[in-house]
Each structure stands twice: as structure tokens, then as C-alpha cells.
């Protein structure tokens, strides 16, 4: 199932224990001279979409969060990044929205190495 295709009444009526919210998180940054800026986003999205296709009755797939913590790539034109402190707050608030809707099984599917440290902080603070 696709989160964004649901209506709010669908989310409200959903068996929250029967699904995992899968939220791909990635980045928009340089990947050398040969790959597009959205490489991490394309890869994370593809993995998440394949999982959703295999077990669509057990997965609620969100749109990919394409902006990440990529300050270490800002010297490369085209990179878009959130500072770690803001990225932590974004992740926490996204997860809180899922929790507020009643979900308890949430998977952040990370496709960018720079998201690991701030993502870990966000998850730790949420816990």
C-alpha cells in the first residue's frame, strides 16, 4: 500500500498492528562525475518499492524523503542538505506523525551514509 494514496479515513480505519510503515530516507548530493545527484534517493526508493510490491498487504510505503544530512558534500554544486540538528528534528517529527496516527511499527530505510549519525540521534531521542 502507498501511504500517499490513502485517504485520512483509510489511515484511521487501518489495522495498525498489521502493517509496517516503511519510510525511505535518502539524499540529493554529488556522486562523482558519472552519477546523478539523486542516486541515493533512486536506490532507496527502488528497494522500498520492491519490498512493497512483494508484501503490499503488510507494508505502508511513504514517499521518499529526498533531502538528507549532506553538509560534507556542499562544496559540490547541486548538493542540497539539512544541517544535522534540523535533520534530526525532521526525522523525529515525521516519526511522531506516524505514531500519532496510531502506527508503532516504523522502518526508516536509509539510503545515505551521512544520515546514519543524525538518524541514530533522532531514533535514540524518540526512544
Amino acid at each position: 500500500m502507498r501511504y500517499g494514496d490513502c485517504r485520512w479515513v483509510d489511515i484511521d480505519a487501518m489495522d495498525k498492528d498489521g502493517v509496517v510503515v516503511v519510510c525511505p530516507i535518502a539524499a540529493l548530493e554529488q556522486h562523482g562525475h558519472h552519477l546523478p545527484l539523486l542516486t541515493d534517493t533512486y536506490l532507496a526508493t527502488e528497494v522500498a518499492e520492491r519490498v512493497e510490491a512483494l508484501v503490499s498487504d503488510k507494508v505502508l510505503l511513504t514517499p521518499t524523503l529526498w533531502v538528507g544530512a549532506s553538509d560534507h558534500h556542499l562544496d559540490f554544486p547541486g548538493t542540497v542538505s539539512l544541517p544535522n540538528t534540523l535533520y534530526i528534528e525532521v526525522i523525529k517529527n515525521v516519526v511522531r506523525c506516524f505514531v500519532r496516527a496510531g502506527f508503532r511499527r516504523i522502518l526508516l530505510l536509509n539510503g545515505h551514509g551521512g544520515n546514519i549519525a543524525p538518524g541514530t540521534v533522532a531514533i535514540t531521542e524518540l526512544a
Side-chain angles (χ1 to χ4, degrees):
M1 295 175 283
R2 305 272 177 147
Y3 197 98
D5 291 342
C6 296
R7 300 168 302 148
W8 76 266
V9 291
D10 301 325
I11 298 293
D12 189 47
M14 194 171 290
D15 174 13
K16 309 296 189 310
D17 295 325
V19 297
V20 176
V21 175
V22 175
C23 182
I25 55 178
L28 177 64
E29 60 166 14
Q30 70 82 29
H31 277 87
H33 298 279
H34 60 297
L35 292 173
L37 296 169
L38 275 176
T39 295
D40 290 343
T41 299
Y42 293 149
L43 294 172
T45 300
E46 184 66 22
V47 168
E49 287 177 347
R50 287 184 186 200
V51 168
E52 189 273 336
L54 289 173
V55 287
S56 61
D57 58 326
K58 295 182 172 116
V59 167
L60 188 56
L61 178 61
T62 72
T64 302
L65 180 60
W66 60 266
V67 66
S70 300
D71 285 359
H72 53 290
H73 290 292
L74 284 173
D75 287 341
F76 296 93
T79 297
V80 176
S81 179
L82 296 177
N84 283 354
T85 54
L86 180 56
Y87 185 74
I88 290 165
E89 292 305 313
V90 167
I91 294 300
K92 286 170 34 180
N93 281 285
V94 167
V95 170
R96 284 182 185 129
C97 289
F98 301 141
V99 170
R100 183 177 181 128
F103 296 102
R104 297 296 181 266
R105 298 170 63 193
I106 302 159
L107 172 68
L108 298 174
L109 179 63
N110 184 32
H112 170 59
N115 293 342
I116 294 171
T120 300
V121 171
I123 292 167
T124 301
E125 290 181 6
L126 283 166

